[in-house]
Amino acid sequence: MGLLEGHRAIVTGGGSGMGAATARRMAEEGAQVAVVDIDGEAARDVAAEFGGHFHQVDVSVWAEVRDAFAAAAEAMGGLSILHNNAGVSLSTGLEDIEPELWQRIIDVNLTGVFYGLKAAIPVMLAGGDGRIVNTASISGVRASDGEAPYAAAKAGVIALTATTALEHGPVIRCNAVSPGTIHTPMTHQFLTLIPGMYEHQVKKIPLGRVGEPDDVADVVVLLCSDLTRYINGQNIVVDGGMLLHGAGSDGSLFWVRELLAEQEARRAGDEG
Ligand code: NAD
């Protein structure tokens, strides 16, 4: 029996990357899944893989979210899982961000999550069961240059997650995931076109590799399952340990070891 047997799920941003991986994993674990994405063809293609539903929706438009969630719940016979995952990123210095771009990033990444919550919560309360996972980011936890509105939105998602958990227990559990560097269409150019960037990222990750969409999808499935029935209002960082860096002595052990190895090699050379 799957971890999500009998559940009815909506995954926003389910047409690509981590959302697509999560929609597939949820279906594998026995849930009915509705894939929601601004890219209707991508949503349709992912849903077709497991016989799911799909809806073309811009999560920053309330009427679209409200109507699509109502239609999905009607088609599936209810709604017990929501993965609020749609998002867009940017890399621009704060002073160069036009107000329209600021607004768009906030609208999709933060207001879109609010709209998802607003549409899903009454249905979940009526059905007596709700598990929600919002996608934040390590950028919402630790400052990251070039990402001012994105980081602000993601920090807002973490706060919204905690508020939802406070307001809607015991029927609904609400948690967030904060991915680190994950190789998806969103990060593909950043990781592959900037010379040395992939290796630079790997160096910052104690587990020694950039994340894959399934690394996050598995955590989302777990957070929606009964195995995490007492986890509520938390932000689970899924970054291979990247955020652990930053102490004053960060990296010094490896640096000293390298120096000692060099000294040892020199001594061995002198003696030889
Ligand atoms: P992705 O670009 O592969 O997927 C994002 C999906 O969201 C796409 O299918 C896109 O069409 C959809 N989308 C964008 N705007 C939308 C809108 N207005 N309405 C509905 N759908 C919309 O990216 P991904 O890396 O899988 O990102 C998924 C989530 O993870 C995002 O919230 C992103 O901010 C977050 N995240 C990503 C990383 C990473 O390293 N990739 C790290 C931290 C957080």
Side-chain angles (χ1 to χ4, degrees):
M1 178 155 152
L3 283 173
L4 305 180
E5 214 66 54
H7 282 279
R8 284 76 47 104
I10 289 178
V11 178
T12 73
S16 171
M18 287 179 264
T22 304
R24 290 183 190 111
R25 287 286 294 114
M26 285 180 171
E28 271 170 29
E29 292 295 339
Q32 287 187 68
V33 182
V35 179
V36 164
D37 205 289
I38 198 168
D39 182 340
E41 281 181 25
R44 183 198 60 203
D45 291 350
V46 172
E49 292 175 28
F50 45 77
H53 306 268
F54 72 95
H55 299 270
Q56 180 167 6
V57 171
D58 179 343
V59 295
S60 71
V61 180
W62 165 238
E64 288 187 23
V65 175
R66 181 196 59 205
D67 293 352
F69 277 40
E74 166 99 31
M76 295 190 291
L79 180 65
S80 54
I81 290 175
L82 169 61
H83 183 30
N84 256 325
N85 161 80
V88 283
S89 64
L90 83 168
S91 181
T92 309
L94 182 55
E95 71 284 9
D96 295 324
I97 297 169
E98 293 303 328
E100 296 74 21
L101 178 58
W102 168 275
Q103 198 55 55
R104 182 67 189 155
I105 299 289
I106 299 291
D107 284 350
V108 176
N109 292 294
L110 180 57
T111 310
V113 171
F114 162 62
Y115 288 161
L117 295 169
K118 183 173 165 57
I121 284 169
V123 189
M124 289 177 167
L125 290 176
D129 187 2
R131 296 114 195 258
I132 300 173
V133 179
N134 300 321
T135 304
S137 166
I138 56 169
S139 301
V141 177
R142 176 81 55 81
S144 189
D145 49 282
E147 294 190 326
Y150 181 80
K154 294 300 193 181
V157 168
I158 295 167
L160 198 50
T161 298
T163 310
T164 306
L166 270 178
E167 285 187 13
H168 297 291
V171 175
I172 296 173
R173 286 194 296 120
C174 184
N175 293 291
V177 282
S178 278
T181 302
I182 312 295
H183 198 164
T184 68
M186 180 183 276
T187 51
H188 184 68
Q189 291 197 341
F190 165 76
L191 287 171
T192 58
L193 293 187
I194 305 174
M197 180 54 77
Y198 198 92
E199 295 69 25
H200 174 66
Q201 293 292 317
V202 169
K203 235 177 149 181
K204 295 196 294 181
I205 302 169
L207 288 185
R209 65 178 177 84
V210 164
E212 296 297 328
D214 275 341
D215 293 326
V216 178
D218 282 346
V219 177
V220 177
V221 166
L222 192 65
L223 285 172
C224 293
S225 77
D226 288 338
L227 294 176
T228 54
R229 62 197 166 274
Y230 209 55
I231 295 182
N232 196 18
Q234 302 304 302
N235 174 41
I236 308 297
V237 171
V238 188
D239 71 343
M242 197 181 215
L243 277 192
L244 299 173
H245 287 296
S249 61
D250 196 7
S252 56
L253 173 67
F254 299 97
W255 192 17
V256 169
R257 277 184 186 159
E258 260 176 47
L259 284 176
L260 290 174
E262 276 171 26
Q263 280 176 9
E264 186 60 32
R266 229 176 290 129
R267 204 174 306 128
D270 288 348
E271 284 169 8

